[in-house]
Amino acid sequence: MLLHLGQAPVLVISSAEMAREIMKNQDTVFTNRPALTAVWIVLYQCQDVGFAPYGEYWRQMRKICVSDLLGVKRVQSFKFVREVEIDCLIKKISQSCSKGSPVNLSDMLLTLSYNILSMCSFGRKSEKVDNIHMFGKLSREVLQLLGAFSIGDFFPCLRWMDVLTGLIGRLKRRTQQLDVLFDGIIDDHLKKGEIQNSLDNKQDFVDLLLHVQREKKLSIGISKDSIKAIMMTREWIYYPPKTRVYINAWAIQRDPMTWDKAEEFIPERFSESTVDFKGQDFELVPFGSGRRSCPGMSFGIAVVELALANLLYWFDWELPNGELKEMLDMSESFGLTVNKKIPLLLLPSHYVA
């Protein structure tokens, strides 16, 4: 379906067959992504892996991410981080069980994600201000801004209006705050002499990126801004001439031709299904596919599997105050990533076999 969003022609793909054609058969044609206003400001002129223009820089940076930063071996090396942080989560929930009080599971899981990401990326948890982790707070705000509506992205001749709406100012303020945070982390790594001539499994992502920079492992070179852009790291793909292609994963993964009762929670549907989620079957593409598929898939799967297994193993869950599950509000907040608009409050109790 071809739409015109302002002055930007947009082709919406809502079938697995067409998604396969674009992300597999013709993926070299659909590899670039537009330099949207928020992305350009926040990600240091698109020096990250997700939005960097397709070319030698992107190929080499993705290779570093896939092989050194987010490869299976590296993900396994951070097993102790996942176990420690999830153990802390279980203890906090256990305390709530003793008090008989509900927990904000949405907030707890976000905190868990940011703690694990901070430890793996920086070798430490981010500093707290008023008992709030600054990296997590800033990251959430930036993700919301990355999904904010920019007039200039759809009406280039009216780009100046993004200044009047305050979007540019908010983006620059949050980016400056993250810049200070990242500069401090990088400087600390350099001062402590944490760059090693040889890589070991206990090095965090910043160590690895600084090692790549020091050893000049990339022919294109890697700047400090490149490192920070990767630290920050929809399926928007640029199709010449000036047509954006949007892979409507929401519709594809609810296609009644593929999924029976798609709106119902039936996890057993996957036990006998040959459809996988790793990018080869286009009926289910949570991590995308092709050259622009998510390089952090192994990292994400490892965190989610261990966290979910522990939450289900140790606790029984129910809604507080006798609320019915049918009345649970599942509306979503707008942003680069999908979150529940209303946090999930649940009443945990220790599981008794």
PDB file of all heavy atoms in Angstrom, residues 30-60:
ATOM      1  N   PHE A  30      17.300  -2.311  -0.559  1.00  0.00           N
ATOM      2  CA  PHE A  30      16.566  -1.680   0.540  1.00  0.00           C
ATOM      3  C   PHE A  30      17.403  -1.568   1.816  1.00  0.00           C
ATOM      4  O   PHE A  30      16.890  -1.737   2.915  1.00  0.00           O
ATOM      5  CB  PHE A  30      15.300  -2.496   0.842  1.00  0.00           C
ATOM      6  CG  PHE A  30      14.294  -2.498  -0.265  1.00  0.00           C
ATOM      7  CD1 PHE A  30      14.332  -3.473  -1.248  1.00  0.00           C
ATOM      8  CD2 PHE A  30      13.317  -1.523  -0.335  1.00  0.00           C
ATOM      9  CE1 PHE A  30      13.404  -3.491  -2.276  1.00  0.00           C
ATOM     10  CE2 PHE A  30      12.381  -1.528  -1.355  1.00  0.00           C
ATOM     11  CZ  PHE A  30      12.423  -2.510  -2.336  1.00  0.00           C
ATOM     12  N   THR A  31      18.674  -1.304   1.684  1.00  0.00           N
ATOM     13  CA  THR A  31      19.536  -1.323   2.868  1.00  0.00           C
ATOM     14  C   THR A  31      19.681   0.028   3.559  1.00  0.00           C
ATOM     15  O   THR A  31      19.985   0.083   4.746  1.00  0.00           O
ATOM     16  CB  THR A  31      20.947  -1.819   2.497  1.00  0.00           C
ATOM     17  OG1 THR A  31      21.395  -1.101   1.351  1.00  0.00           O
ATOM     18  CG2 THR A  31      20.935  -3.298   2.192  1.00  0.00           C
ATOM     19  N   ASN A  32      19.497   1.114   2.844  1.00  0.00           N
ATOM     20  CA  ASN A  32      19.679   2.427   3.462  1.00  0.00           C
ATOM     21  C   ASN A  32      18.457   2.845   4.261  1.00  0.00           C
ATOM     22  O   ASN A  32      17.333   2.439   3.974  1.00  0.00           O
ATOM     23  CB  ASN A  32      19.969   3.488   2.399  1.00  0.00           C
ATOM     24  CG  ASN A  32      21.449   3.612   2.133  1.00  0.00           C
ATOM     25  OD1 ASN A  32      22.261   3.474   3.043  1.00  0.00           O
ATOM     26  ND2 ASN A  32      21.812   3.853   0.883  1.00  0.00           N
ATOM     27  N   ARG A  33      18.694   3.673   5.252  1.00  0.00           N
ATOM     28  CA  ARG A  33      17.620   4.227   6.064  1.00  0.00           C
ATOM     29  C   ARG A  33      17.735   5.743   6.054  1.00  0.00           C
ATOM     30  O   ARG A  33      18.844   6.290   5.985  1.00  0.00           O
ATOM     31  CB  ARG A  33      17.703   3.698   7.499  1.00  0.00           C
ATOM     32  CG  ARG A  33      17.344   2.221   7.581  1.00  0.00           C
ATOM     33  CD  ARG A  33      17.471   1.667   8.971  1.00  0.00           C
ATOM     34  NE  ARG A  33      16.951   0.303   9.031  1.00  0.00           N
ATOM     35  CZ  ARG A  33      17.017  -0.469  10.104  1.00  0.00           C
ATOM     36  NH1 ARG A  33      17.595  -0.022  11.204  1.00  0.00           N
ATOM     37  NH2 ARG A  33      16.509  -1.680  10.081  1.00  0.00           N
ATOM     38  N   PRO A  34      16.617   6.435   6.131  1.00  0.00           N
ATOM     39  CA  PRO A  34      16.660   7.898   6.050  1.00  0.00           C
ATOM     40  C   PRO A  34      17.274   8.513   7.298  1.00  0.00           C
ATOM     41  O   PRO A  34      17.113   7.995   8.406  1.00  0.00           O
ATOM     42  CB  PRO A  34      15.184   8.287   5.911  1.00  0.00           C
ATOM     43  CG  PRO A  34      14.447   7.169   6.576  1.00  0.00           C
ATOM     44  CD  PRO A  34      15.234   5.927   6.285  1.00  0.00           C
ATOM     45  N   ALA A  35      17.965   9.618   7.115  1.00  0.00           N
ATOM     46  CA  ALA A  35      18.559  10.342   8.241  1.00  0.00           C
ATOM     47  C   ALA A  35      17.488  11.241   8.855  1.00  0.00           C
ATOM     48  O   ALA A  35      17.436  12.445   8.609  1.00  0.00           O
ATOM     49  CB  ALA A  35      19.756  11.157   7.771  1.00  0.00           C
ATOM     50  N   LEU A  36      16.617  10.639   9.655  1.00  0.00           N
ATOM     51  CA  LEU A  36      15.547  11.393  10.290  1.00  0.00           C
ATOM     52  C   LEU A  36      16.125  12.398  11.283  1.00  0.00           C
ATOM     53  O   LEU A  36      17.238  12.232  11.792  1.00  0.00           O
ATOM     54  CB  LEU A  36      14.587  10.439  10.998  1.00  0.00           C
ATOM     55  CG  LEU A  36      13.950   9.355  10.111  1.00  0.00           C
ATOM     56  CD1 LEU A  36      13.085   8.429  10.947  1.00  0.00           C
ATOM     57  CD2 LEU A  36      13.141   9.981   8.990  1.00  0.00           C
ATOM     58  N   THR A  37      15.364  13.427  11.562  1.00  0.00           N
ATOM     59  CA  THR A  37      15.842  14.530  12.397  1.00  0.00           C
ATOM     60  C   THR A  37      16.377  14.053  13.741  1.00  0.00           C
ATOM     61  O   THR A  37      17.503  14.378  14.136  1.00  0.00           O
ATOM     62  CB  THR A  37      14.707  15.543  12.629  1.00  0.00           C
ATOM     63  OG1 THR A  37      14.276  16.063  11.365  1.00  0.00           O
ATOM     64  CG2 THR A  37      15.182  16.691  13.509  1.00  0.00           C
ATOM     65  N   ALA A  38      15.574  13.281  14.462  1.00  0.00           N
ATOM     66  CA  ALA A  38      15.982  12.825  15.793  1.00  0.00           C
ATOM     67  C   ALA A  38      17.194  11.912  15.718  1.00  0.00           C
ATOM     68  O   ALA A  38      18.119  12.012  16.535  1.00  0.00           O
ATOM     69  CB  ALA A  38      14.816  12.106  16.471  1.00  0.00           C
ATOM     70  N   VAL A  39      17.209  11.025  14.743  1.00  0.00           N
ATOM     71  CA  VAL A  39      18.324  10.088  14.582  1.00  0.00           C
ATOM     72  C   VAL A  39      19.622  10.835  14.286  1.00  0.00           C
ATOM     73  O   VAL A  39      20.686  10.515  14.829  1.00  0.00           O
ATOM     74  CB  VAL A  39      18.006   9.084  13.453  1.00  0.00           C
ATOM     75  CG1 VAL A  39      19.232   8.257  13.110  1.00  0.00           C
ATOM     76  CG2 VAL A  39      16.849   8.178  13.857  1.00  0.00           C
ATOM     77  N   TRP A  40      19.544  11.843  13.435  1.00  0.00           N
ATOM     78  CA  TRP A  40      20.731  12.610  13.051  1.00  0.00           C
ATOM     79  C   TRP A  40      21.351  13.313  14.259  1.00  0.00           C
ATOM     80  O   TRP A  40      22.575  13.351  14.418  1.00  0.00           O
ATOM     81  CB  TRP A  40      20.354  13.630  11.984  1.00  0.00           C
ATOM     82  CG  TRP A  40      21.509  14.427  11.460  1.00  0.00           C
ATOM     83  CD1 TRP A  40      21.880  15.690  11.836  1.00  0.00           C
ATOM     84  CD2 TRP A  40      22.468  14.015  10.481  1.00  0.00           C
ATOM     85  NE1 TRP A  40      22.998  16.089  11.156  1.00  0.00           N
ATOM     86  CE2 TRP A  40      23.386  15.080  10.309  1.00  0.00           C
ATOM     87  CE3 TRP A  40      22.638  12.853   9.731  1.00  0.00           C
ATOM     88  CZ2 TRP A  40      24.447  15.013   9.416  1.00  0.00           C
ATOM     89  CZ3 TRP A  40      23.700  12.791   8.843  1.00  0.00           C
ATOM     90  CH2 TRP A  40      24.585  13.856   8.695  1.00  0.00           C
ATOM     91  N   ILE A  41      20.503  13.846  15.128  1.00  0.00           N
ATOM     92  CA  ILE A  41      21.005  14.586  16.292  1.00  0.00           C
ATOM     93  C   ILE A  41      21.507  13.639  17.377  1.00  0.00           C
ATOM     94  O   ILE A  41      22.607  13.798  17.913  1.00  0.00           O
ATOM     95  CB  ILE A  41      19.905  15.504  16.854  1.00  0.00           C
ATOM     96  CG1 ILE A  41      19.562  16.600  15.838  1.00  0.00           C
ATOM     97  CG2 ILE A  41      20.342  16.135  18.184  1.00  0.00           C
ATOM     98  CD1 ILE A  41      18.390  17.474  16.244  1.00  0.00           C
ATOM     99  N   VAL A  42      20.706  12.637  17.712  1.00  0.00           N
ATOM    100  CA  VAL A  42      21.018  11.768  18.846  1.00  0.00           C
ATOM    101  C   VAL A  42      22.167  10.812  18.549  1.00  0.00           C
ATOM    102  O   VAL A  42      23.002  10.542  19.420  1.00  0.00           O
ATOM    103  CB  VAL A  42      19.758  10.968  19.262  1.00  0.00           C
ATOM    104  CG1 VAL A  42      20.104   9.924  20.316  1.00  0.00           C
ATOM    105  CG2 VAL A  42      18.690  11.918  19.793  1.00  0.00           C
ATOM    106  N   LEU A  43      22.241  10.313  17.326  1.00  0.00           N
ATOM    107  CA  LEU A  43      23.220   9.276  16.990  1.00  0.00           C
ATOM    108  C   LEU A  43      24.424   9.829  16.227  1.00  0.00           C
ATOM    109  O   LEU A  43      24.989   9.157  15.368  1.00  0.00           O
ATOM    110  CB  LEU A  43      22.539   8.156  16.198  1.00  0.00           C
ATOM    111  CG  LEU A  43      21.409   7.440  16.956  1.00  0.00           C
ATOM    112  CD1 LEU A  43      20.748   6.394  16.078  1.00  0.00           C
ATOM    113  CD2 LEU A  43      21.931   6.805  18.237  1.00  0.00           C
ATOM    114  N   TYR A  44      24.795  11.054  16.559  1.00  0.00           N
ATOM    115  CA  TYR A  44      26.041  11.637  16.049  1.00  0.00           C
ATOM    116  C   TYR A  44      26.131  11.555  14.524  1.00  0.00           C
ATOM    117  O   TYR A  44      27.059  10.981  13.965  1.00  0.00           O
ATOM    118  CB  TYR A  44      27.250  10.958  16.705  1.00  0.00           C
ATOM    119  CG  TYR A  44      27.239  11.068  18.209  1.00  0.00           C
ATOM    120  CD1 TYR A  44      26.601  10.098  18.985  1.00  0.00           C
ATOM    121  CD2 TYR A  44      27.823  12.151  18.857  1.00  0.00           C
ATOM    122  CE1 TYR A  44      26.557  10.204  20.367  1.00  0.00           C
ATOM    123  CE2 TYR A  44      27.786  12.266  20.239  1.00  0.00           C
ATOM    124  CZ  TYR A  44      27.148  11.292  20.991  1.00  0.00           C
ATOM    125  OH  TYR A  44      27.094  11.407  22.362  1.00  0.00           O
ATOM    126  N   GLN A  45      25.132  12.136  13.873  1.00  0.00           N
ATOM    127  CA  GLN A  45      25.048  12.148  12.411  1.00  0.00           C
ATOM    128  C   GLN A  45      25.032  10.723  11.841  1.00  0.00           C
ATOM    129  O   GLN A  45      25.705  10.419  10.857  1.00  0.00           O
ATOM    130  CB  GLN A  45      26.194  12.951  11.788  1.00  0.00           C
ATOM    131  CG  GLN A  45      26.147  14.447  12.079  1.00  0.00           C
ATOM    132  CD  GLN A  45      26.659  14.793  13.460  1.00  0.00           C
ATOM    133  OE1 GLN A  45      27.760  14.390  13.839  1.00  0.00           O
ATOM    134  NE2 GLN A  45      25.880  15.537  14.219  1.00  0.00           N
ATOM    135  N   CYS A  46      24.269   9.860  12.506  1.00  0.00           N
ATOM    136  CA  CYS A  46      24.052   8.477  12.039  1.00  0.00           C
ATOM    137  C   CYS A  46      25.348   7.672  11.981  1.00  0.00           C
ATOM    138  O   CYS A  46      25.626   6.981  10.992  1.00  0.00           O
ATOM    139  CB  CYS A  46      23.364   8.467  10.675  1.00  0.00           C
ATOM    140  SG  CYS A  46      21.728   9.217  10.668  1.00  0.00           S
ATOM    141  N   GLN A  47      26.127   7.731  13.050  1.00  0.00           N
ATOM    142  CA  GLN A  47      27.356   6.940  13.099  1.00  0.00           C
ATOM    143  C   GLN A  47      27.155   5.609  13.815  1.00  0.00           C
ATOM    144  O   GLN A  47      28.121   4.883  14.059  1.00  0.00           O
ATOM    145  CB  GLN A  47      28.469   7.737  13.795  1.00  0.00           C
ATOM    146  CG  GLN A  47      28.925   8.961  13.024  1.00  0.00           C
ATOM    147  CD  GLN A  47      30.197   9.562  13.589  1.00  0.00           C
ATOM    148  OE1 GLN A  47      31.210   8.882  13.740  1.00  0.00           O
ATOM    149  NE2 GLN A  47      30.147  10.844  13.912  1.00  0.00           N
ATOM    150  N   ASP A  48      25.906   5.293  14.170  1.00  0.00           N
ATOM    151  CA  ASP A  48      25.631   4.012  14.808  1.00  0.00           C
ATOM    152  C   ASP A  48      25.467   2.930  13.747  1.00  0.00           C
ATOM    153  O   ASP A  48      25.588   3.190  12.551  1.00  0.00           O
ATOM    154  CB  ASP A  48      24.365   4.114  15.655  1.00  0.00           C
ATOM    155  CG  ASP A  48      23.131   4.255  14.780  1.00  0.00           C
ATOM    156  OD1 ASP A  48      23.184   5.070  13.840  1.00  0.00           O
ATOM    157  OD2 ASP A  48      22.142   3.548  15.021  1.00  0.00           O
ATOM    158  N   VAL A  49      25.174   1.714  14.183  1.00  0.00           N
ATOM    159  CA  VAL A  49      24.994   0.609  13.246  1.00  0.00           C
ATOM    160  C   VAL A  49      23.588   0.610  12.653  1.00  0.00           C
ATOM    161  O   VAL A  49      23.389   0.263  11.492  1.00  0.00           O
ATOM    162  CB  VAL A  49      25.264  -0.743  13.946  1.00  0.00           C
ATOM    163  CG1 VAL A  49      24.998  -1.903  13.003  1.00  0.00           C
ATOM    164  CG2 VAL A  49      26.698  -0.797  14.440  1.00  0.00           C
ATOM    165  N   GLY A  50      22.606   1.023  13.436  1.00  0.00           N
ATOM    166  CA  GLY A  50      21.222   0.949  12.995  1.00  0.00           C
ATOM    167  C   GLY A  50      20.875   1.884  11.853  1.00  0.00           C
ATOM    168  O   GLY A  50      20.098   1.527  10.966  1.00  0.00           O
ATOM    169  N   PHE A  51      21.446   3.095  11.847  1.00  0.00           N
ATOM    170  CA  PHE A  51      21.044   4.094  10.860  1.00  0.00           C
ATOM    171  C   PHE A  51      22.186   4.602   9.989  1.00  0.00           C
ATOM    172  O   PHE A  51      21.981   5.495   9.171  1.00  0.00           O
ATOM    173  CB  PHE A  51      20.376   5.279  11.566  1.00  0.00           C
ATOM    174  CG  PHE A  51      19.008   4.966  12.090  1.00  0.00           C
ATOM    175  CD1 PHE A  51      18.836   4.462  13.368  1.00  0.00           C
ATOM    176  CD2 PHE A  51      17.889   5.157  11.302  1.00  0.00           C
ATOM    177  CE1 PHE A  51      17.577   4.160  13.858  1.00  0.00           C
ATOM    178  CE2 PHE A  51      16.618   4.860  11.778  1.00  0.00           C
ATOM    179  CZ  PHE A  51      16.461   4.361  13.060  1.00  0.00           C
ATOM    180  N   ALA A  52      23.380   4.069  10.153  1.00  0.00           N
ATOM    181  CA  ALA A  52      24.491   4.490   9.295  1.00  0.00           C
ATOM    182  C   ALA A  52      24.182   4.127   7.843  1.00  0.00           C
ATOM    183  O   ALA A  52      23.595   3.082   7.565  1.00  0.00           O
ATOM    184  CB  ALA A  52      25.787   3.802   9.732  1.00  0.00           C
ATOM    185  N   PRO A  53      24.556   4.984   6.895  1.00  0.00           N
ATOM    186  CA  PRO A  53      24.325   4.665   5.476  1.00  0.00           C
ATOM    187  C   PRO A  53      25.022   3.365   5.096  1.00  0.00           C
ATOM    188  O   PRO A  53      26.101   3.048   5.601  1.00  0.00           O
ATOM    189  CB  PRO A  53      24.939   5.863   4.740  1.00  0.00           C
ATOM    190  CG  PRO A  53      24.973   6.966   5.747  1.00  0.00           C
ATOM    191  CD  PRO A  53      25.196   6.303   7.075  1.00  0.00           C
ATOM    192  N   TYR A  54      24.392   2.630   4.206  1.00  0.00           N
ATOM    193  CA  TYR A  54      24.970   1.364   3.757  1.00  0.00           C
ATOM    194  C   TYR A  54      26.248   1.647   2.981  1.00  0.00           C
ATOM    195  O   TYR A  54      26.271   2.423   2.033  1.00  0.00           O
ATOM    196  CB  TYR A  54      23.973   0.624   2.867  1.00  0.00           C
ATOM    197  CG  TYR A  54      24.473  -0.716   2.377  1.00  0.00           C
ATOM    198  CD1 TYR A  54      24.677  -1.761   3.261  1.00  0.00           C
ATOM    199  CD2 TYR A  54      24.741  -0.920   1.025  1.00  0.00           C
ATOM    200  CE1 TYR A  54      25.132  -2.992   2.819  1.00  0.00           C
ATOM    201  CE2 TYR A  54      25.193  -2.149   0.570  1.00  0.00           C
ATOM    202  CZ  TYR A  54      25.391  -3.184   1.475  1.00  0.00           C
ATOM    203  OH  TYR A  54      25.846  -4.396   1.029  1.00  0.00           O
ATOM    204  N   GLY A  55      27.330   1.029   3.419  1.00  0.00           N
ATOM    205  CA  GLY A  55      28.625   1.240   2.784  1.00  0.00           C
ATOM    206  C   GLY A  55      29.717   0.601   3.616  1.00  0.00           C
ATOM    207  O   GLY A  55      29.452  -0.204   4.520  1.00  0.00           O
ATOM    208  N   GLU A  56      30.955   0.968   3.354  1.00  0.00           N
ATOM    209  CA  GLU A  56      32.086   0.333   4.025  1.00  0.00           C
ATOM    210  C   GLU A  56      32.082   0.592   5.526  1.00  0.00           C
ATOM    211  O   GLU A  56      32.389  -0.305   6.321  1.00  0.00           O
ATOM    212  CB  GLU A  56      33.399   0.824   3.406  1.00  0.00           C
ATOM    213  CG  GLU A  56      34.636   0.062   3.883  1.00  0.00           C
ATOM    214  CD  GLU A  56      34.567  -1.429   3.569  1.00  0.00           C
ATOM    215  OE1 GLU A  56      33.869  -1.812   2.604  1.00  0.00           O
ATOM    216  OE2 GLU A  56      35.216  -2.212   4.297  1.00  0.00           O
ATOM    217  N   TYR A  57      31.746   1.825   5.927  1.00  0.00           N
ATOM    218  CA  TYR A  57      31.702   2.132   7.361  1.00  0.00           C
ATOM    219  C   TYR A  57      30.686   1.236   8.063  1.00  0.00           C
ATOM    220  O   TYR A  57      30.988   0.612   9.085  1.00  0.00           O
ATOM    221  CB  TYR A  57      31.338   3.602   7.575  1.00  0.00           C
ATOM    222  CG  TYR A  57      31.117   3.969   9.035  1.00  0.00           C
ATOM    223  CD1 TYR A  57      32.190   4.292   9.856  1.00  0.00           C
ATOM    224  CD2 TYR A  57      29.835   3.974   9.583  1.00  0.00           C
ATOM    225  CE1 TYR A  57      31.997   4.617  11.195  1.00  0.00           C
ATOM    226  CE2 TYR A  57      29.629   4.294  10.920  1.00  0.00           C
ATOM    227  CZ  TYR A  57      30.709   4.617  11.720  1.00  0.00           C
ATOM    228  OH  TYR A  57      30.504   4.921  13.047  1.00  0.00           O
ATOM    229  N   TRP A  58      29.475   1.154   7.493  1.00  0.00           N
ATOM    230  CA  TRP A  58      28.432   0.333   8.113  1.00  0.00           C
ATOM    231  C   TRP A  58      28.839  -1.136   8.154  1.00  0.00           C
ATOM    232  O   TRP A  58      28.653  -1.814   9.169  1.00  0.00           O
ATOM    233  CB  TRP A  58      27.120   0.486   7.336  1.00  0.00           C
ATOM    234  CG  TRP A  58      26.045  -0.422   7.852  1.00  0.00           C
ATOM    235  CD1 TRP A  58      25.220  -0.208   8.915  1.00  0.00           C
ATOM    236  CD2 TRP A  58      25.707  -1.720   7.341  1.00  0.00           C
ATOM    237  NE1 TRP A  58      24.382  -1.280   9.100  1.00  0.00           N
ATOM    238  CE2 TRP A  58      24.660  -2.226   8.142  1.00  0.00           C
ATOM    239  CE3 TRP A  58      26.181  -2.497   6.283  1.00  0.00           C
ATOM    240  CZ2 TRP A  58      24.081  -3.471   7.913  1.00  0.00           C
ATOM    241  CZ3 TRP A  58      25.606  -3.738   6.060  1.00  0.00           C
ATOM    242  CH2 TRP A  58      24.566  -4.210   6.872  1.00  0.00           C
ATOM    243  N   ARG A  59      29.416  -1.640   7.064  1.00  0.00           N
ATOM    244  CA  ARG A  59      29.802  -3.054   7.018  1.00  0.00           C
ATOM    245  C   ARG A  59      30.823  -3.388   8.102  1.00  0.00           C
ATOM    246  O   ARG A  59      30.713  -4.411   8.787  1.00  0.00           O
ATOM    247  CB  ARG A  59      30.360  -3.402   5.634  1.00  0.00           C
ATOM    248  CG  ARG A  59      29.293  -3.649   4.576  1.00  0.00           C
ATOM    249  CD  ARG A  59      29.898  -4.260   3.321  1.00  0.00           C
ATOM    250  NE  ARG A  59      30.710  -3.287   2.604  1.00  0.00           N
ATOM    251  CZ  ARG A  59      30.246  -2.499   1.642  1.00  0.00           C
ATOM    252  NH1 ARG A  59      28.980  -2.558   1.299  1.00  0.00           N
ATOM    253  NH2 ARG A  59      31.044  -1.648   1.029  1.00  0.00           N
ATOM    254  N   GLN A  60      31.814  -2.529   8.264  1.00  0.00           N
ATOM    255  CA  GLN A  60      32.858  -2.825   9.242  1.00  0.00           C
ATOM    256  C   GLN A  60      32.354  -2.660  10.674  1.00  0.00           C
ATOM    257  O   GLN A  60      32.700  -3.447  11.558  1.00  0.00           O
ATOM    258  CB  GLN A  60      34.071  -1.932   8.992  1.00  0.00           C
ATOM    259  CG  GLN A  60      34.757  -2.231   7.665  1.00  0.00           C
ATOM    260  CD  GLN A  60      36.202  -1.786   7.650  1.00  0.00           C
ATOM    261  OE1 GLN A  60      36.896  -1.849   8.658  1.00  0.00           O
ATOM    262  NE2 GLN A  60      36.667  -1.325   6.498  1.00  0.00           N
TER     263      GLN A  60
END
